[in-house]
Amino acid sequence: MATTYSISDLARELDITTRAIRFYEEQGMLAPERRGQERVYSAKDKVTLKLILRGKRIGFSLAECRELIELYDPETGSRKQLETFMGKIAERRLQLEQQLLDIQQMQLELDTAEERCLAALAETQA
């Protein structure tokens, strides 16, 4: 028999809230079976959740996570998914590098403003 999980099992194992899991379900990214009122998640649902969480940690949008998950094709393997993932990693790296440059520029501007303020303060005390 295939391994299944309750919503609380998944929440505990992946250290997320049941509310987050329901959110991903509402977004159409998970489709658990129903046994009465109870949601029953498969091993595939667990892997999907792990991929979502990993994608979110490295700054991917939910839409990007969905795209990567939908690219997986058990028939042909994961080559297309991996190639797309590599492209998204490169894009994200460029975004972060630009943000780092922007932060460094802001720090320089703050240093300059601070020096001017200190100089102005020194003049008022003279």
Side-chain angles (χ1 to χ4, degrees), residues 4 21-22 32 41 45 47 58 68 80 87 90 105 111 117 119:
T4 59
I21 295 171
R22 285 191 298 272
Y41 295 88
D45 291 322
V47 169
I58 58 177
L68 288 168
K80 183 159 180 59
Q105 182 62 41
D111 290 345
C117 287

Side-chain angles (χ1 to χ4, degrees), residues 24-39:
Y24 297 130
E25 186 181 338
E26 288 166 11
Q27 297 301 307
M29 298 180 79
L30 299 170
E33 289 181 37
R34 295 278 186 166
R35 289 189 191 140
Q37 291 293 322
E38 185 182 8
R39 292 171 168 90

Side-chain angles (χ1 to χ4, degrees), residues 47-79:
V47 169
T48 298
L49 264 174
K50 282 182 173 181
L51 290 171
I52 292 167
L53 297 173
R54 184 176 302 142
K56 298 295 287 173
R57 267 196 315 274
I58 58 177
F60 290 169
S61 70
L62 206 50
E64 288 172 315
C65 292
R66 177 183 288 114
E67 178 187 353
L68 288 168
I69 291 163
E70 288 173 353
L71 281 174
Y72 180 71
D73 181 359
E75 301 287 317
T76 60
S78 57
R79 183 171 184 83

